[in-house]
Amino acid sequence: MTQQGRPRGPHSGRQDDWWSQLYDPGSPDTGRSGAGDTLDDRYASVRRTMGPATAPPASPPPAAPPASPPPATEQEPPAQPPATTPASDGPEPAGPGPVASEPAGPEAVTPDVPRSPAHVGERPPTYEAEPATFPAADPAALSELVPDTVLDGAHYGGLTLRAASLRGDSARHRGALRRDALLTARFGSGESALLLVAVAAGGRAATGGHRAAREICHSMGEVAGRSHARLAEDIRADRRDALKPGLQRLTERCYGKLRAQAAALGVQPEEYTADLRCLLLSADPRCRTRVFFGWGDAGLFRLRSGSWRDLETGPGGSALHPGESEANGSGQEPAASSAGLLDPSELADLAALSVPSTQRVPVPPPAPRQDPDAFRFRATEAQPGDVLLLCSQGLAAPLRGEPAFARQLAGAWTDNPEPPGLAAFLADVQLRVRGYADDRTAVAVWEG
């Protein structure tokens, strides 16, 4: 009997020999390649030999055979199958290909951006570095809520703009609303577009100071937007004599609306007001004229070659902290700020009563205040490498009063060849220092 169950005939031996030669696994291959044939290769060979009529009609066509290695030549030895290694419980050795790096986990931290705000001096301020309490909300007036922090930025031609507004440590501790307001807007398109940035700060004792700051920013945006074509043309032509009176009229119109709103609310004008600073920029990359104007207390500074200059003190400005590097080269704040006393900004806060203190708290002298009724205007010609800083009083005060603060901020913005990103800019602006816990709003322009 054969393996198929058929009786053996006179030629069974020759048939069995043919069968053994074809299917015997020990028989050598007759092809040109030294590699062993697979079962699919042998099936394809039989089908080519017997013809397609022998295949079952309903069976699907066989899969294409895998590409076989090229035939061996006299110059190239036959390809050998890869050697196998015994399995083991340990890890497999790394292959010759590149090893993909594992994705960064939650512990990965960008080295340029700290995870918590830094501080100047030996000890941090009294308040916590992060927001502690949400402001109280009225279900019928949810539009009154103000976010803790606002970030914005843009890039036009050779200038890069960064803007940030954040609650101060005192407001975060008490759950008060941010009194500073920030408005960034573009009017027009192309090189004739006008860029407006408005910064306002409501007074601490003012009723609804956050509303007054937001209203004065929006009012200025409305009047500047309606006149953006003329303003952009005057800035590109550097018509400073026409810009100053025109912007003063627009500013007075905005404060007139604020006084009318105070009368409608039944409060005194000084109880519903805000300090204002504005910056006008042309989107034309050939225009280097930067126009600043406003009313009340705030700050306008220029950082050039690592040195700060206060541009609000006169036509040419004045240097900040001249010669302070020799007097206080250690980078520490003055001794009066680190003597364990309460922050001067905490003295008017009820929340400061819960801070334990065993020493007598001296009453600080009032800070010199500029004439609030004086309109301020400044047009300057920017140079490559300059950094122009427009800020509210919450940032201008430590910049003027703390040499270590000004020095560290200057180093952060001059040691790097590129302007900081939004997150890095926020980390720079919220650099903490004892004695200054008000809201901060800053707009910086890097000139390329």
PDB file of all heavy atoms in Angstrom, residues 188-204:
ATOM      1  N   GLY A 188      -6.122  97.357  11.189  1.00  0.00           N
ATOM      2  CA  GLY A 188      -5.604  97.369   9.833  1.00  0.00           C
ATOM      3  C   GLY A 188      -4.840  96.102   9.520  1.00  0.00           C
ATOM      4  O   GLY A 188      -4.827  95.128  10.286  1.00  0.00           O
ATOM      5  N   SER A 189      -4.196  96.082   8.356  1.00  0.00           N
ATOM      6  CA  SER A 189      -3.471  94.900   7.911  1.00  0.00           C
ATOM      7  C   SER A 189      -2.238  95.339   7.141  1.00  0.00           C
ATOM      8  O   SER A 189      -2.115  96.489   6.704  1.00  0.00           O
ATOM      9  CB  SER A 189      -4.358  94.011   7.026  1.00  0.00           C
ATOM     10  OG  SER A 189      -4.792  94.732   5.875  1.00  0.00           O
ATOM     11  N   GLY A 190      -1.319  94.392   6.971  1.00  0.00           N
ATOM     12  CA  GLY A 190      -0.108  94.672   6.216  1.00  0.00           C
ATOM     13  C   GLY A 190       0.799  95.649   6.935  1.00  0.00           C
ATOM     14  O   GLY A 190       0.757  95.803   8.165  1.00  0.00           O
ATOM     15  N   GLU A 191       1.626  96.302   6.167  1.00  0.00           N
ATOM     16  CA  GLU A 191       2.574  97.240   6.747  1.00  0.00           C
ATOM     17  C   GLU A 191       1.917  98.515   7.252  1.00  0.00           C
ATOM     18  O   GLU A 191       2.538  99.264   8.011  1.00  0.00           O
ATOM     19  CB  GLU A 191       3.652  97.604   5.713  1.00  0.00           C
ATOM     20  CG  GLU A 191       4.527  96.431   5.298  1.00  0.00           C
ATOM     21  CD  GLU A 191       5.615  96.829   4.340  1.00  0.00           C
ATOM     22  OE1 GLU A 191       5.598  98.016   3.907  1.00  0.00           O
ATOM     23  OE2 GLU A 191       6.476  96.006   4.016  1.00  0.00           O
ATOM     24  N   SER A 192       0.676  98.775   6.868  1.00  0.00           N
ATOM     25  CA  SER A 192      -0.028  99.968   7.353  1.00  0.00           C
ATOM     26  C   SER A 192      -0.783  99.704   8.644  1.00  0.00           C
ATOM     27  O   SER A 192      -1.482 100.596   9.137  1.00  0.00           O
ATOM     28  CB  SER A 192      -1.003 100.467   6.283  1.00  0.00           C
ATOM     29  OG  SER A 192      -1.982  99.471   5.995  1.00  0.00           O
ATOM     30  N   ALA A 193      -0.676  98.519   9.218  1.00  0.00           N
ATOM     31  CA  ALA A 193      -1.411  98.195  10.442  1.00  0.00           C
ATOM     32  C   ALA A 193      -0.823  98.958  11.621  1.00  0.00           C
ATOM     33  O   ALA A 193       0.356  99.311  11.665  1.00  0.00           O
ATOM     34  CB  ALA A 193      -1.367  96.691  10.712  1.00  0.00           C
ATOM     35  N   LEU A 194      -1.687  99.189  12.612  1.00  0.00           N
ATOM     36  CA  LEU A 194      -1.305  99.876  13.845  1.00  0.00           C
ATOM     37  C   LEU A 194      -1.484  98.903  15.009  1.00  0.00           C
ATOM     38  O   LEU A 194      -2.532  98.272  15.149  1.00  0.00           O
ATOM     39  CB  LEU A 194      -2.164 101.120  14.069  1.00  0.00           C
ATOM     40  CG  LEU A 194      -1.902 101.901  15.360  1.00  0.00           C
ATOM     41  CD1 LEU A 194      -0.544 102.593  15.311  1.00  0.00           C
ATOM     42  CD2 LEU A 194      -3.025 102.915  15.625  1.00  0.00           C
ATOM     43  N   LEU A 195      -0.464  98.793  15.841  1.00  0.00           N
ATOM     44  CA  LEU A 195      -0.503  97.929  17.027  1.00  0.00           C
ATOM     45  C   LEU A 195      -0.672  98.799  18.256  1.00  0.00           C
ATOM     46  O   LEU A 195       0.067  99.776  18.453  1.00  0.00           O
ATOM     47  CB  LEU A 195       0.780  97.108  17.146  1.00  0.00           C
ATOM     48  CG  LEU A 195       1.236  96.367  15.883  1.00  0.00           C
ATOM     49  CD1 LEU A 195       2.536  95.627  16.157  1.00  0.00           C
ATOM     50  CD2 LEU A 195       0.158  95.409  15.412  1.00  0.00           C
ATOM     51  N   LEU A 196      -1.645  98.448  19.092  1.00  0.00           N
ATOM     52  CA  LEU A 196      -1.919  99.183  20.325  1.00  0.00           C
ATOM     53  C   LEU A 196      -1.837  98.227  21.498  1.00  0.00           C
ATOM     54  O   LEU A 196      -2.421  97.133  21.470  1.00  0.00           O
ATOM     55  CB  LEU A 196      -3.301  99.824  20.282  1.00  0.00           C
ATOM     56  CG  LEU A 196      -3.829 100.352  21.627  1.00  0.00           C
ATOM     57  CD1 LEU A 196      -3.021 101.565  22.089  1.00  0.00           C
ATOM     58  CD2 LEU A 196      -5.318 100.699  21.532  1.00  0.00           C
ATOM     59  N   VAL A 197      -1.107  98.638  22.534  1.00  0.00           N
ATOM     60  CA  VAL A 197      -1.066  97.916  23.796  1.00  0.00           C
ATOM     61  C   VAL A 197      -1.387  98.919  24.896  1.00  0.00           C
ATOM     62  O   VAL A 197      -0.720  99.958  25.005  1.00  0.00           O
ATOM     63  CB  VAL A 197       0.302  97.260  24.048  1.00  0.00           C
ATOM     64  CG1 VAL A 197       0.269  96.475  25.350  1.00  0.00           C
ATOM     65  CG2 VAL A 197       0.678  96.348  22.899  1.00  0.00           C
ATOM     66  N   ALA A 198      -2.413  98.626  25.690  1.00  0.00           N
ATOM     67  CA  ALA A 198      -2.838  99.507  26.777  1.00  0.00           C
ATOM     68  C   ALA A 198      -2.716  98.764  28.100  1.00  0.00           C
ATOM     69  O   ALA A 198      -3.130  97.613  28.224  1.00  0.00           O
ATOM     70  CB  ALA A 198      -4.280  99.979  26.565  1.00  0.00           C
ATOM     71  N   VAL A 199      -2.148  99.449  29.092  1.00  0.00           N
ATOM     72  CA  VAL A 199      -1.952  98.910  30.434  1.00  0.00           C
ATOM     73  C   VAL A 199      -2.594  99.885  31.405  1.00  0.00           C
ATOM     74  O   VAL A 199      -2.302 101.086  31.380  1.00  0.00           O
ATOM     75  CB  VAL A 199      -0.457  98.737  30.756  1.00  0.00           C
ATOM     76  CG1 VAL A 199      -0.263  98.354  32.213  1.00  0.00           C
ATOM     77  CG2 VAL A 199       0.170  97.713  29.835  1.00  0.00           C
ATOM     78  N   ALA A 200      -3.483  99.403  32.269  1.00  0.00           N
ATOM     79  CA  ALA A 200      -4.163 100.250  33.241  1.00  0.00           C
ATOM     80  C   ALA A 200      -4.157  99.563  34.597  1.00  0.00           C
ATOM     81  O   ALA A 200      -4.202  98.324  34.680  1.00  0.00           O
ATOM     82  CB  ALA A 200      -5.595 100.545  32.806  1.00  0.00           C
ATOM     83  N   ALA A 201      -4.135 100.371  35.655  1.00  0.00           N
ATOM     84  CA  ALA A 201      -4.125  99.855  37.028  1.00  0.00           C
ATOM     85  C   ALA A 201      -5.118 100.645  37.852  1.00  0.00           C
ATOM     86  O   ALA A 201      -4.970 101.871  38.001  1.00  0.00           O
ATOM     87  CB  ALA A 201      -2.723  99.952  37.633  1.00  0.00           C
ATOM     88  N   GLY A 202      -6.135  99.943  38.350  1.00  0.00           N
ATOM     89  CA  GLY A 202      -7.092 100.582  39.233  1.00  0.00           C
ATOM     90  C   GLY A 202      -6.503 100.813  40.605  1.00  0.00           C
ATOM     91  O   GLY A 202      -5.696 100.015  41.099  1.00  0.00           O
ATOM     92  N   GLY A 203      -6.882 101.918  41.232  1.00  0.00           N
ATOM     93  CA  GLY A 203      -6.353 102.237  42.550  1.00  0.00           C
ATOM     94  C   GLY A 203      -6.769 101.222  43.594  1.00  0.00           C
ATOM     95  O   GLY A 203      -7.826 100.597  43.513  1.00  0.00           O
ATOM     96  N   ARG A 204      -5.892 101.056  44.613  1.00  0.00           N
ATOM     97  CA  ARG A 204      -6.188 100.083  45.663  1.00  0.00           C
ATOM     98  C   ARG A 204      -7.432 100.471  46.442  1.00  0.00           C
ATOM     99  O   ARG A 204      -8.236  99.603  46.803  1.00  0.00           O
ATOM    100  CB  ARG A 204      -4.993  99.974  46.610  1.00  0.00           C
ATOM    101  CG  ARG A 204      -5.273  99.136  47.840  1.00  0.00           C
ATOM    102  CD  ARG A 204      -4.046  98.961  48.688  1.00  0.00           C
ATOM    103  NE  ARG A 204      -3.034  98.179  48.020  1.00  0.00           N
ATOM    104  CZ  ARG A 204      -2.144  97.426  48.648  1.00  0.00           C
ATOM    105  NH1 ARG A 204      -2.171  97.374  49.961  1.00  0.00           N
ATOM    106  NH2 ARG A 204      -1.242  96.760  47.976  1.00  0.00           N
TER     107      ARG A 204
END
